Amino acid sequence: MSAHNTKDQKDKVVHVYDGIEECDNALPRWWLWIFFGTITFGAAYWLSAEAFKTTASPRAAYQAEMDLVAAEEAQKMKALGSVTNESLAALAKDGKSLEDGKTVFATTCAPCHAATGGGGIGPNLTDEFWMHGGAPTKIYGTIKDGVVAKGMPAWGGSLGEERVRLVSAYVLTLKNTKAPGGKAPQGEPEL
Ligand code: HEC
């Protein structure tokens, strides 16, 4: 980058190899602005985010957001109360909750359990036979934690606590509805 200001191109040739000339041309002004600009920005950003902590570093900003989400989730769990056979049975009697639970079932569960709950890849949920227990909290537990080794995914993480409860309540209403064309019973009889 030495300052060759001569207009003659030939004067700028610093290296010739095999007929190929390497010239020492001055770098364009706009390029230098960007080059030194990024260095200045990088240094200022590092000083502000890491050395003096005047702006939140990406790591700190991420952590703050995650803490907020965790706090909201904890708040929600507290508001929802604990899961009992009674609380799930009560949800299963609430029209709006059932409507929401049905929507979750149609979009998330029907591909494996059929829209009617009659079963397909997954077992029939409309008979009185259960492999993992037919009590409301048992059904809720199966849905939340899944039976991953047997192809039933765990839904707690992806659906979240509230929707797991809603869809559990909806499944309670399918019990013993004997969907036509449903899969043969599996498990133990338990109403
Ligand atoms: C990828 C396919 C698949 C999806 C999607 C799926 N399931 Fe399952 N489900 C299964 C399989 C397979 C089993 C049987 C597991 C076993 O053999 O132990 C099962 C078992 C169950 C059981 C236990 C039945 C019993 O007899 O104890 C319940 C309840 C259930 N699923 C509900 C749901 C709900 C609610 C959803 C939607 C949130 C859902 N499943 C989504 C495949 C699926």
Side-chain angles (χ1 to χ4, degrees), residues 108-109 112-113 122-123 125 130-132 142-143 147 150-152 155:
T108 316
C109 321
C112 288
H113 291 282
L125 303 175
W130 298 89
M131 290 182 279
H132 303 286
T142 308
I143 295 168
V147 191
K150 298 286 188 63
M152 165 67 178
W155 296 102

Side-chain angles (χ1 to χ4, degrees), residues 6 37 48 60 67 72 84 104-106 122 135 137 145-146 158 173 191:
T6 156
S48 134
D67 290 349
E72 272 173 15
T84 59
V104 175
F105 191 88
T137 51
D145 302 326
S158 54
T173 67
L191 260 185

Side-chain angles (χ1 to χ4, degrees), residues 8-191:
D8 186 358
Q9 186 72 20
K10 279 267 176 311
D11 283 351
K12 296 180 181 174
V13 173
V14 292
H15 186 232
V16 181
Y17 182 80
D18 215 8
I20 297 170
E21 294 179 342
E22 183 185 334
C23 299
D24 182 14
N25 292 314
L27 288 158
R29 191 58 61 87
W30 62 266
W31 191 92
L32 288 170
W33 271 111
I34 294 173
F35 180 64
F36 290 115
T38 52
I39 293 174
T40 311
F41 176 82
Y45 184 78
W46 184 85
L47 285 171
S48 134
E50 299 292 338
F52 301 120
K53 312 246 185 252
T54 41
T55 50
S57 72
R59 221 175 304 122
Y62 172 78
Q63 197 53 51
E65 264 183 53
M66 292 308 280
D67 290 349
L68 200 68
V69 170
E72 272 173 15
E73 187 66 21
Q75 191 74 32
K76 229 188 222 172
M77 286 290 283
K78 217 168 147 198
L80 286 171
S82 52
V83 187
T84 59
N85 285 338
E86 292 71 34
S87 75
L88 291 169
L91 264 190
K93 289 202 180 84
D94 177 60
K96 169 84 177 85
S97 303
L98 278 186
E99 204 53 45
D100 293 344
K102 186 177 182 174
T103 306
V104 175
F105 191 88
T107 51
T108 316
C109 321
C112 288
H113 291 282
T116 57
I121 294 166
N124 193 336
L125 303 175
T126 68
D127 54 24
E128 68 265 55
F129 290 80
W130 298 89
M131 290 182 279
H132 303 286
T137 51
K138 289 279 184 195
I139 291 176
Y140 159 86
T142 308
I143 295 168
K144 184 175 180 183
D145 302 326
V147 191
V148 180
K150 298 286 188 63
M152 165 67 178
W155 296 102
S158 54
L159 288 180
E161 180 64 25
E162 193 171 8
R163 282 187 291 172
V164 166
R165 293 190 193 194
L166 293 171
V167 79
S168 303
Y170 178 69
V171 169
L172 292 181
T173 67
L174 298 176
K175 263 184 169 184
N176 214 21
T177 53
K178 303 260 169 27
K183 220 174 156 185
Q186 292 164 274
E188 303 297 321
E190 185 183 341
L191 260 185

